[in-house]
Amino acid sequence: MQDDQVIEVINKLIKERRSSFPMEYNGKKISKAIVDQVLYNANWAPNHGKTEPWRFKVFHGESQLTLFQFMAEHYKENTEKEKFSQNKFDRFFQKAELTSHVIAICMKRDPKGRIPEIEEIAAVSCSVQNIYLTITAYGIRGYWSTGGGAYSEEMHKFLKLNNDEKCLGFFYLGLSDNSLREGERRHINEKTEWV
């Protein structure tokens, strides 16, 4: 490919990146080889001090069902009776059927404490953007969610995270029969000041 073709592909991928929610998926499974490539690309995110703070736990099949059961029970146990929604509780199990894989997005702090936590969170976020761009290239759908008690102590224990690790959410992967929605952004000039 010529450089201008590569640039056009990159520009298109960035513009076409979307969050697609699990209820939009069709239940078909993504191959392990593609999920491996998604994670490989996530590993190439920028990070201060070469700490590579991202950690991923991939749930599929039975382990995925166990994860969604845990999320549903956590929701039920931590929601006031008058605010509890049976429909929301049931959707956890629908998501389990429709989603191909769920990746727990985790962060491991630099053991030497050289890097501020905010910078390690930013590095993990960059790795998630690499996930988004890769799945866009493959025509896969995805969504970074912080629901299901992601930040809770119970989830920390469920994921068997150490004291120097945190869960930053879950990335749902799936396939869909529907077209992607058109994206919308206000013009960049509204958010830019040239100094």
Side-chain angles (χ1 to χ4, degrees):
M1 267 198 238
Q2 302 236 343
D3 284 352
D4 56 346
Q5 291 174 314
V6 172
I7 291 167
E8 187 56 37
V9 167
I10 291 170
N11 289 341
K12 188 174 188 288
L13 278 176
I14 290 169
K15 189 175 177 188
E16 291 182 355
R17 185 222 50 84
R18 297 282 178 279
S19 289
S20 295
F21 308 106
M23 298 307 285
E24 301 171 28
Y25 306 161
N26 60 20
K28 294 178 183 172
K29 302 304 177 196
I30 299 163
S31 75
K32 183 180 183 304
I34 292 176
V35 176
D36 284 341
Q37 185 66 54
V38 167
L39 296 170
Y40 178 83
N41 289 354
N43 194 42
W44 284 96
N47 59 106
H48 189 180
K50 298 182 180 177
T51 60
E52 301 180 25
W54 45 83
R55 297 293 184 274
F56 305 113
K57 293 180 182 269
V58 183
F59 293 85
H60 63 102
E62 287 299 315
S63 69
Q64 182 171 295
L65 182 57
T66 301
L67 172 65
F68 279 108
Q69 286 173 330
F70 177 84
M71 288 179 171
E73 289 303 321
H74 184 271
Y75 165 72
K76 188 174 187 177
E77 292 169 10
N78 292 279
T79 304
E80 298 171 24
K81 265 189 177 176
E82 55 277 358
K83 293 185 179 178
F84 177 79
S85 164
Q86 185 64 45
N87 186 40
K88 185 172 181 178
F89 180 83
D90 294 341
R91 273 201 315 265
F92 284 103
F93 299 97
Q94 292 171 320
K95 290 176 187 177
E97 292 295 319
L98 296 172
T99 303
S100 176
H101 294 74
V102 179
I103 303 170
I105 306 294
C106 303
M107 176 197 65
K108 182 174 178 61
R109 293 286 283 128
D110 173 29
K112 297 178 184 174
R114 301 168 297 148
I115 309 300
E117 183 178 56
I118 187 67
E119 294 183 22
E120 297 198 311
I121 292 170
V124 174
S125 299
C126 288
S127 75
V128 172
Q129 180 70 350
N130 284 3
I131 291 173
Y132 263 122
L133 295 176
T134 304
I135 67 168
T136 301
Y138 277 103
I140 295 169
R141 304 301 171 83
Y143 173 59
W144 185 8
S145 169
T146 54
Y151 305 144
S152 70
E153 186 59 35
E154 295 90 350
M155 184 61 75
H156 193 273
K157 289 177 185 171
F158 177 83
L159 293 174
K160 298 178 181 165
L161 298 177
N162 296 321
N163 290 336
D164 61 347
E165 297 174 309
K166 287 186 178 180
C167 177
L168 301 181
F170 297 91
F171 202 97
Y172 298 92
L173 293 173
L175 298 169
S176 178
D177 300 320
N178 302 324
S179 300
L180 281 173
R181 295 179 302 278
E182 285 292 318
E184 295 178 21
R185 291 290 187 272
R186 295 188 321 275
H187 199 280
I188 189 61
N189 289 346
E190 296 179 36
K191 301 168 254 184
T192 305
E193 178 183 354
W194 289 83
V195 181

